[in-house]
């Protein structure tokens, strides 16, 4: 009988997630106790408090670099950076969501609780140092999002898109799980890092570093299935089929949250998995990821051109962006990782802002989502039009917006790793993408609005979110330094102690 | 007692997973698709147990419990979503779901 050693319980690594979990439960209980009220202002306030506290916990561990909970949770700058960004995304979603729910008479405590749970799952995804924790995190935020997509209870479109999202999501997690099972078969553990002694404390990194001659065939096969599973979540081609439908059917604030948060969480897992843990297998996974990235950039950009619904257009744009960020994964160097973090943070802010505008403009029951509905927006609502223009320019990567520096660092990293031809495709598809962003702008500024302009009620919270994201998009475009440096500080993945040899990152 | 070699279990798990994939892609009824996805998850469970046996460690068997819990949670939410649609449309056929297309 092996001797039983009780695991060390340190909760600092999962403090943000626990905070969110507890706030979600308290929120549900309080709402039940207080009962029906015309104005339940305390729900968004409690959600805000939970998210701020979670973000503060994540910020308080900045600079730590250790494994906790028997090596299942990584407490490092990378996780902190992602968690703080996700807390901000969650806050913006809650605020836009509040105005949206009140307008459409959908407000329920479940909305806030589910957003908090989804953020908790996404945060855990960034901190997971064990594949099974990664799987649990992935399912936690996915299941919360399935319900949130179906949240417009009167709308069949919302429910249909939730069903598609659910079926394809469950299908993809089965592949991810198969990858985990094969990894377990190859390594004998699902831990990403493992301990010093690869026999008693096996892990993927220690397996790869201590036995270079080991038979990695099974692990390579597993890697393929892990790419499929995560590819669904980042909406990479050919696993993107759910994206336009889910984005169109979901309530607009949730669409923005999915674009910003899901992508960030799944990319965090990809970066940790491929650019750190499986770094030495890069010769095997790179061709596959390159093929996916190129297909994603091209198909996302080209299909976006023919859309006439703004939510579907932004869905295809988010697919294209997944391709751009994948070029940083291919680069697999420090610059790529920090570039991807910077890109994801600024993209998230711009896309949340864009969907906040969409959520306001679409009006009651989202009746106005066609591109034709944006004709003459500048003359009726100049502030909304200017803000949307700013977000679209950032998504297109025009200088003086944050999106420009995102593309610059990400493509620069790929050039540094001598994948210039992938970057060339990225630049060409960015140009195609600029075309359909321009299409919206032409509608807003140069065309007459159809029919008489109806007044748009703009809630104070939604207006605040649009203002914050607009200022951030310009701010990080003019002064990208602080955020870029923070992203560079965050690129230290948890590394095994120096004496066991190689650093996970080769750069 | 002759013991079945673990390789056969892996082959069976692979076969089950493939049937699940093909079924999920070919069938058109949402509930049947979901059943095939469950088959895929259970194929992975069998794989976990087999690898656990080959390696002589119990880790793989513990992982099965995680998968079971997640599958149950997923079923609750998924079936609820499908049920809402069936109530309104009296059909669970994914081809009837046609408000959305690219």
């Amino acid at each position: 009988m092996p001797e039983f050693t009780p695991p060390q319980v340190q909760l600092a690594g999962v403090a943000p997630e626990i905070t969110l979990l507890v706030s979600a439960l308290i929120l549900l209980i309080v709402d039940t106790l207080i009962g029906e009220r015309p104005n339940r202002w305390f729900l968004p306030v409690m959600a805000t408090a939970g998210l701020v506290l979670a973000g503060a916990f994540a910020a308080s561990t900045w600079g730590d670099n250790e494994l906790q909970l028997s090596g299942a949770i990584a407490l490092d700058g990378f996780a902190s950076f992602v968690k703080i960004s996700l807390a901000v995304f969650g806050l913006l979603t809650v605020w836009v969501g509040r105005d949206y729910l009140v307008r459409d008479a959908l407000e329920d405590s479940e909305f806030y609780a589910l957003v908090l749970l989804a953020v908790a799952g996404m945060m855990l995804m960034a901190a997971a140092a064990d594949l099974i924790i990664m799987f649990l995190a992935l399912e936690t935020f996915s299941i919360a999002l399935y319900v949130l997509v179906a949240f417009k209870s009167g709308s069949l479109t919302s429910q249909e898109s939730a069903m598609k999202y659910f079926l394809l999501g469950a299908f993809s997690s089965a592949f991810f799980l198969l990858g985990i099972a094969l990894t377990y078969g190859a390594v004998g553990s699902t831990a990403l890092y493992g301990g010093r002694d690869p026999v008693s404390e096996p892990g993927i990194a220690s397996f790869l570093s201590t036995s270079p001659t080991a038979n990695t065939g099974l692990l390579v096969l597993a890697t393929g299935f892990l790419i499929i599973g995560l590819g669904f979540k980042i909406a990479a081609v050919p696993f993107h089929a759910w994206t336009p439908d889910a984005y169109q059917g979901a309530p607009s604030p949730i669409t923005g949250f999915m674009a910003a948060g899901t992508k960030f969480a799944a990319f965090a897992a990809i970066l940790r998995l491929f650019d750190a843990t499986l770094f030495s297998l890069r010769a095997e996974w790179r061709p596959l990821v390159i093929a996916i990235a190129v297909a994603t950039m091209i198909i996302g950009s080209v299909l976006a051109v023919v859309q006439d619904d703004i939510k579907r257009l932004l869905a295809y744009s988010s697919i294209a962006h997944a391709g751009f960020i994948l070029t940083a994964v291919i680069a697999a160097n420090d610059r790529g990782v920090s570039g991807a973090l910077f890109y994801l943070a600024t993209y998230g802010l711009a896309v949340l802002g864009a969907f906040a505008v969409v959520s306001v403009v679409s009006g009651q029951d989202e009746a106005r989502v066609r591109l034709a509905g944006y004709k003459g927006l500048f003359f009726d609502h100049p502030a909304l039009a200017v803000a949307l223009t700013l977000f679209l320019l950032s998504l297109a990567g025009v200088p003086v917006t944050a999106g420009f520096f995102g593309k610059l660092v990400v493509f620069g990293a790929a050039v540094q790793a001598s994948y210039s031809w992938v970057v060339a495709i990225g630049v060409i598809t960015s140009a195609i993408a600029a075309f359909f962003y321009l299409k919206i702008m032409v509608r807003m500024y140069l065309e007459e609005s159809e029919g008489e302009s109806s007044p748009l009620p703009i809630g104070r919270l939604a207006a605040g979110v649009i203002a914050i994201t607009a200022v951030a998009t310009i701010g990080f475009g003019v002064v990208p330094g602080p955020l870029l440096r923070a992203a560079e500080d965050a690129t230290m993945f948890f590394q095994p102690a120096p004496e066991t040899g190689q650093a996970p990152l080769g750069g | 007692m002759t013991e079945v070699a673990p390789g056969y279990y892996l082959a069976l798990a692979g076969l089950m997973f493939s049937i699940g994939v093909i079924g999920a892609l070919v069938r058109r009824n949402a509930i049947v698709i979901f059943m095939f996805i469950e088959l895929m998850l259970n194929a992975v469970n069998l794989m976990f147990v087999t690898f656990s046996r080959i390696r002589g460690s119990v880790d793989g068997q513990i992982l099965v419990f995680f998968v079971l819990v997640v599958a149950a949670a997923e079923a609750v939410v998924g079936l609820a979503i499908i049920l809402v649609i069936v109530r309104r449309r009296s059909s669970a056929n994914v081809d009837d779901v046609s408000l959305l297309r690219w």
Side-chain angles (χ1 to χ4, degrees):
Chain A
M1 277 292 283
E3 207 172 303
F4 175 74
T5 44
Q8 271 194 305
V9 181
Q10 302 155 298
L11 295 179
V14 284
E17 289 86 346
I18 294 175
T19 313
L20 289 173
L21 202 66
V22 172
S23 348
L25 294 177
I26 293 177
L27 201 148
L28 288 173
I29 293 168
V30 167
D31 185 52
T32 318
L33 291 180
I34 292 183
E36 287 298 312
R37 285 266 189 103
N39 180 11
R40 291 187 277 177
W41 53 270
F42 47 88
L43 294 176
V45 169
M46 288 166 67
T48 303
L51 284 161
V52 168
L53 199 57
F57 272 125
S60 71
T61 54
W62 184 265
D64 286 10
N65 198 21
E66 57 174 310
L67 285 182
Q68 293 199 333
L69 296 175
S70 309
I73 298 289
L75 185 59
D76 51 13
F78 180 78
S80 300
F81 186 95
V82 180
K83 285 180 183 184
I84 295 167
S85 311
L86 287 171
V88 173
F89 294 169
L91 280 175
L92 299 174
T93 307
V94 165
W95 295 339
V96 183
R98 157 77 175 173
D99 277 352
Y100 180 93
L101 295 173
V102 169
R103 185 189 66 203
D104 287 7
L106 288 169
E107 187 168 44
D108 257 320
S109 51
E110 288 90 346
F111 179 87
Y112 303 105
L114 284 166
V115 170
L116 292 184
L117 292 175
V119 174
M122 290 168 181
M123 285 183 170
L124 191 59
M125 190 90 176
D130 191 301
L131 284 176
I132 205 74
I133 301 292
M134 217 177 249
F135 173 70
L136 290 180
L138 185 115
E139 286 295 324
T140 306
F141 76 73
S142 297
I143 290 175
L145 282 174
Y146 300 148
V147 185
L148 284 170
V149 169
F151 211 81
K152 283 193 279 179
S153 51
S155 153
L156 202 52
T157 323
S158 172
Q159 286 152 9
E160 284 187 4
S161 64
M163 184 172 94
K164 284 192 182 176
Y165 185 30
F166 164 72
L167 286 175
L168 284 171
F171 188 64
S172 70
S173 19
F175 280 98
F176 190 68
L177 201 58
L178 180 65
I180 297 175
L182 292 173
T183 307
Y184 173 69
V187 179
S189 163
T190 52
L192 291 191
Y193 301 108
R196 303 252 174 93
D197 178 12
V199 180
S200 66
E201 295 173 282
I204 300 169
S206 58
F207 170 79
L208 285 172
S209 64
T210 52
S211 44
T213 53
N215 184 5
T216 52
L218 200 54
L219 191 56
V220 171
L221 186 64
T223 307
F225 287 114
L226 293 174
I227 292 178
I228 294 179
L230 291 168
F232 266 96
K233 293 297 163 195
I234 59 165
V237 175
F239 319 114
H240 66 292
W242 60 272
T243 318
D245 293 343
Y247 277 35
Q248 186 187 357
S252 296
I254 292 306
T255 313
F257 180 55
M258 282 162 69
T262 309
K263 209 160 282 238
F264 209 157
F267 263 110
I270 287 179
L271 289 168
R272 195 185 284 281
L273 201 52
F274 291 96
D275 286 357
T277 313
L278 294 167
F279 181 72
S280 56
L281 281 183
R282 62 193 178 286
E284 278 78 18
W285 58 254
R286 243 182 195 158
L288 190 57
V289 177
I290 290 175
I292 292 174
V294 170
T296 307
M297 289 190 283
I298 294 175
I299 290 182
S301 303
V302 170
L303 286 186
V305 174
V306 299
Q307 302 303 321
D308 71 337
D309 178 306
I310 188 146
K311 288 169 87 178
R312 287 183 91 76
L313 190 152
L314 287 172
Y316 279 103
S317 132
S318 94
I319 294 172
H321 279 280
F324 299 144
I325 305 167
L326 275 176
T327 56
V329 177
I330 294 164
N333 49 24
D334 277 342
R335 267 180 82 183
V337 177
S338 63
L341 287 178
F342 180 85
Y343 197 117
L344 284 158
T346 52
Y347 167 77
L349 290 171
V351 85
L352 277 168
F355 275 107
V357 175
V358 169
S359 156
V360 169
V361 173
S362 61
Q364 183 104 36
D365 297 327
E366 301 205 18
R368 185 177 168 188
V369 286
R370 298 268 148 202
L371 286 189
Y374 284 77
K375 282 184 181 170
L377 187 69
F378 177 68
F379 305 106
D380 302 339
H381 305 281
L384 283 178
V386 169
L388 185 58
T389 307
L390 187 60
F391 301 134
L392 294 176
L393 289 176
S394 181
L395 292 179
V398 172
V400 202
T401 58
F404 170 70
F405 284 100
K407 282 214 171 64
L408 198 67
V409 264
V410 161
F411 288 160
V415 170
Q416 193 186 28
S418 35
Y419 282 96
S420 305
W421 66 274
V422 181
V423 172
I425 294 174
V427 171
I428 294 168
T429 49
S430 302
I432 299 175
F435 169 73
F436 58 76
Y437 297 126
L438 212 61
K439 206 167 80 172
I440 306 177
M441 289 179 224
V442 167
R443 294 257 151 84
M444 290 194 297
Y445 291 94
L446 299 179
E447 291 183 19
E448 299 270 312
S449 59
E450 289 172 344
E452 74 262 41
S453 68
S454 49
L456 279 179
I458 305 176
R460 266 180 298 169
L461 284 172
V465 168
I466 294 171
I468 292 171
T469 46
V471 168
T473 302
I474 279 282
F476 290 132
V478 178
V479 199
L483 187 64
L484 261 178
R485 265 194 299 280
E488 276 162 18
D489 289 344
T491 51
M492 277 276 281
F493 292 101
F494 173 81
Q495 308 193 353
E499 57 264 42
T500 50
Q502 93 200 67
L505 281 172
Chain B
M1 284 284 279
T2 51
E3 199 172 282
V4 182
Y8 289 105
Y9 288 106
L10 289 181
L12 177 65
L15 193 66
M16 270 167 69
F17 194 89
S18 311
I19 292 173
V21 173
I22 294 167
L25 292 175
V26 168
R27 295 302 292 263
R28 302 267 55 106
N29 184 306
I31 295 174
V32 177
I33 292 176
F34 185 57
M35 283 162 65
F36 276 109
I37 292 172
E38 290 290 306
L39 185 67
M40 291 161 72
L41 292 181
N42 283 314
V44 176
N45 280 344
L46 180 59
M47 210 174 273
F48 270 126
V49 174
T50 312
F51 279 129
S52 177
R53 165 121 195 153
I54 294 173
R55 298 209 151 254
S57 76
V58 288
D59 293 4
Q61 301 181 28
I62 296 167
L63 299 182
V64 170
F65 287 105
F66 286 91
V67 179
L68 288 177
V69 171
V70 166
E74 220 172 43
V76 169
V77 170
L79 290 178
I81 292 172
I82 294 173
L83 189 70
V84 172
I85 293 181
V86 171
R87 275 215 189 125
R88 291 184 62 162
R89 282 196 178 265
S90 60
S91 151
N93 192 317
V94 286
D95 287 340
D96 292 347
V97 173
S98 53
L99 287 177
L100 300 159
R101 63 166 65 95
W102 73 281

